[in-house]
Amino acid sequence: MAKDGVAEIDRSNRHSGGGGTRFQNIRVYWLAFIVYWGIVLFGYDTGVGGGVVAQDYFKTHFGISDGKNVDQKKANDISSNVVSVLQAGAFFAAIGRRWSLFIWTIVFAVGAILQTVAGGSRGLGYIYAGRVVAGLGIGAISAVAPAFVSECCPKEVRGRITGLFQIMVAVGVMLSYFINLGISLHIKEGFAVWRIPFGFQLVPAGMMAFGLLTVKESPRWLASKGRVDEALKNLAYLRRLSPEHHSVRAEFAEIEAALEEEREARKGLGAKEAFLGKGNFIRFVIAVVIFLLQQWSGQNSVGYYAPQIFTSIGYTGTANSLLASGIYGIVKVVATALFVFFLVDSLGRKMSLFISAMGMGILFFIIGALLKTFPPPKDAAMAAMLYIYVCFYSMGWGPLPWVYVSDIFPTRTRHYGLATASASQWLFNFVVAKVTPTLESALGYKLFLMFATINIGGMAVFSLLIPETKGRSLEEMDVIFGSVQAEKRRADIEARERELEHDAQPAGSDRSSDQKV
């Protein structure tokens, strides 16, 4: 009868959807979808600033233009400040992992309100302050969200699911472009020119805040805090299987084996040991360098200041440059989605990054050469090159740095790793956002040649030097980076599996007896 009872449990697991594969990870996708509304905020907030300061009424109201002539230096200063102070706030917030996403969403909303109420007697100071406060929220969200999602994903689809990060960024940027375009076409003057774009930030913030009430905590984090029963229950929930299912038990055994190794090997872990411990330092170097290169790939300069960049290649008039920017946003979303859902787990991380860097570099060289040889007026060929460029960006250096950094850090040092990566991303993001208007004015076509050199000479070479992480679990990263010997890891996993099987036997017998009664 015991065997019959176990068989009945297995049959009920299959019929409840636990054994099905079509929607096996639907709860993980839902979690990523909710958590990444915060990343829509990230994308929207980074894209909206450049479009707002490009509006004629904004320039006139805040003294950048007298209606006929533009003070270019002042325009560059205000553009770079409005865009870059967001990154400054985010940099100072990127220092933790387990802060509540809900609380930081509220912090972001306060910043959005400050930006929205600017105008009249409330000058640019409100926008600057609001951008800094919103940046604090965005920085914390960008540090927590990738860790939360990565720790809940099965390794088979982790690249695809964590890649949703960049899709959500692209969606946010695209929304900002089209809202600014709509404003330029239908609202020529009045405070609504900036209040509608800045106020719209509250929509994804609300979606995230309410959605967070429907998701569960990370099983890996719960296990690291000793809440084993809750961790196993949440893991089974996310996998849509029974806690007794062999694959859930095996995955949980791997998690616990890794955590036990980390507890034994790194008792009393401090910042020094976290950064300089065996197999750790190189991971932090990779995390910093990969975001340094990503920020200087040229995409963020185009993304933040798309209206100005398209004006520089001949798209005169606010509406024309914003329309070209909107199309750029659509291309980016479509290209990112195609890559994340169909290519990220087939090409591998290294090859995707290499092809992406080479493609971007070649296209930037072509754009620079065209601008040098055939200066604007409007050239559709150069716009097309930028659209193709963002396709290459979206197949590698757009989504993969976050995926890669989420791959390489173990649970024990993950909060240090992702906080460092996030702080690096925002720091270099701030620098690029601050200097781009000045570089664009001073260098002209040479700006594109500079980015092309960075893409090929830096990013393509770096892609060939880092280890492949495709298809590897978080726990296998310790083996890849030399923190743990492969033989020891296998022995620990087998030992934990035997313990879990032993623990499950009495529970299974009791359940069978209950069913018999």
Side-chain angles (χ1 to χ4, degrees):
M1 286 302 294
K3 289 183 178 180
D4 291 341
V6 173
E8 181 63 32
I9 291 171
D10 289 340
R11 281 194 296 273
S12 67
N13 285 340
R14 287 194 295 270
H15 288 302
S16 67
T21 57
R22 179 175 297 179
F23 300 106
Q24 187 71 47
N25 296 309
I26 190 68
R27 288 169 179 162
V28 179
Y29 279 104
W30 173 252
L31 182 145
F33 175 74
I34 290 301
V35 171
Y36 282 168
W37 272 110
I39 309 308
V40 172
L41 292 174
F42 173 9
Y44 185 88
D45 229 34
T46 54
V48 74
V52 167
V53 298
Q55 303 282 5
D56 291 335
Y57 183 77
F58 184 92
K59 294 176 183 177
T60 303
H61 183 79
F62 290 107
I64 303 172
S65 167
D66 60 8
K68 294 181 180 179
N69 301 310
V70 175
D71 183 338
Q72 192 58 52
K73 184 179 186 305
K74 187 172 183 180
N76 287 344
D77 288 343
I78 291 178
S79 294
S80 64
N81 287 341
V82 169
V83 175
S84 66
V85 291
L86 172 80
Q87 283 80 14
F91 168 71
F92 288 112
I95 56 174
R97 172 182 175 225
R98 289 303 309 162
W99 295 350
S100 167
L101 287 173
F102 185 87
I103 292 174
W104 284 110
T105 303
I106 300 302
V107 171
F108 175 88
V110 171
I113 292 169
L114 286 173
Q115 296 168 61
T116 304
V117 300
S121 62
R122 293 182 291 271
L124 279 170
Y126 277 78
I127 294 180
Y128 292 159
R131 299 286 282 176
V132 171
V133 173
L136 291 170
I138 287 293
I141 290 168
S142 71
V144 174
F148 190 10
V149 173
S150 181
E151 289 177 358
C152 293
C153 291
K155 62 184 176 182
E156 294 81 9
V157 295
R158 191 187 313 117
R160 181 178 302 137
I161 293 179
T162 54
L164 283 170
F165 182 103
Q166 197 65 29
I167 292 178
M168 292 299 208
V169 171
V171 167
V173 172
M174 182 189 69
L175 285 172
S176 74
Y177 290 160
F178 277 101
I179 287 177
N180 279 323
L181 174 61
I183 295 295
S184 73
L185 293 175
H186 301 292
I187 303 177
K188 300 298 184 182
E189 58 184 34
F191 294 171
V193 165
W194 60 86
R195 285 186 173 173
I196 291 175
F198 287 145
F200 186 80
Q201 297 170 107
L202 296 169
V203 175
M207 296 282 288
M208 181 181 180
F210 286 109
L212 284 170
L213 303 177
T214 70
V215 301
K216 291 186 178 292
E217 182 56 85
S218 159
R220 280 182 171 85
W221 182 81
L222 289 170
S224 73
K225 299 300 180 183
R227 294 155 65 178
V228 175
D229 292 340
E230 189 178 353
L232 183 60
K233 180 180 177 182
N234 282 12
L235 181 64
Y237 172 84
L238 289 168
R239 301 296 180 263
R240 299 182 70 233
L241 296 167
S242 163
E244 286 77 28
H245 194 279
H246 68 89
S247 66
V248 173
R249 289 278 173 176
E251 183 176 358
F252 195 69
E254 186 175 15
I255 292 171
E256 288 226 296
L259 289 172
E260 186 60 31
E261 289 168 3
E262 289 162 3
R263 291 189 190 103
E264 291 300 317
R266 297 168 184 167
K267 286 181 178 178
L269 178 72
K272 180 178 179 180
E273 187 179 351
F275 284 95
L276 302 177
K278 185 178 179 182
N280 287 348
F281 182 70
I282 187 61
R283 303 190 218 205
F284 285 96
V285 171
I286 289 173
V288 171
V289 173
I290 200 169
F291 281 109
L292 168 64
L293 293 172
Q294 185 205 45
Q295 297 308 307
W296 283 99
S297 68
Q299 196 284 327
N300 281 335
S301 295
V302 177
Y304 295 156
Y305 301 102
Q308 294 89 328
I309 295 291
F310 278 100
T311 298
S312 76
I313 64 172
Y315 283 77
T316 56
T318 303
N320 284 335
S321 62
L322 285 171
L323 177 59
S325 303
I327 297 171
Y328 180 87
I330 292 174
V331 172
K332 184 177 179 182
V333 170
V334 172
T336 303
L338 288 174
F339 172 73
V340 166
F341 287 112
F342 298 107
L343 294 175
V344 67
D345 285 319
S346 58
L347 285 178
R349 317 295 194 239
K350 286 168 64 79
M351 185 56 64
S352 295
L353 289 170
F354 178 76
I355 294 172
S356 174
M358 291 300 295
M360 289 190 296
I362 291 169
L363 284 161
F364 266 150
F365 272 127
I366 294 172
I367 292 170
L370 285 172
L371 279 173
K372 170 65 174 173
T373 310
F374 306 105
K378 181 166 64 178
D379 192 325
M382 283 186 277
M385 291 296 172
L386 280 176
Y387 297 150
I388 299 170
Y389 157 82
V390 80
C391 291
F392 277 105
Y393 175 81
S394 298
M395 72 166 289
W397 280 89
L400 282 184
W402 282 112
V403 174
Y404 194 88
V405 169
S406 294
D407 281 345
I408 64 176
F409 286 100
T411 304
R412 178 70 167 171
T413 58
R414 177 167 295 271
H415 57 304
Y416 285 108
L418 289 176
T420 299
S422 186
S424 300
Q425 190 261 354
W426 286 113
L427 174 62
F428 300 129
N429 206 320
F430 165 76
V431 173
V432 170
K434 182 65 179 171
V435 303
T436 292
T438 303
L439 290 177
E440 191 266 330
S441 297
L443 297 180
Y445 76 91
K446 296 176 185 176
L447 177 66
F448 296 101
L449 300 182
M450 180 190 78
F451 287 138
T453 303
I454 293 171
N455 283 324
I456 294 176
M459 296 158 65
V461 172
F462 178 80
S463 304
L464 299 176
L465 299 177
I466 57 178
E468 180 61 73
T469 63
K470 173 196 167 187
R472 304 296 185 94
S473 69
L474 293 176
E475 287 67 38
E476 289 175 293
M477 291 302 111
D478 283 341
V479 177
I480 291 174
F481 286 96
S483 297
V484 177
Q485 295 298 315
E487 295 77 10
K488 181 176 182 351
R489 174 56 57 81
R490 280 195 296 270
D492 289 340
I493 291 174
E494 290 170 2
R496 285 300 301 164
E497 284 181 333
R498 286 193 296 270
E499 289 178 18
L500 287 169
E501 288 172 3
H502 180 268
D503 292 343
Q505 287 299 320
S509 299
D510 292 343
R511 233 182 335 270
S512 298
S513 299
D514 292 341
Q515 289 174 358
K516 183 175 179 180
V517 173

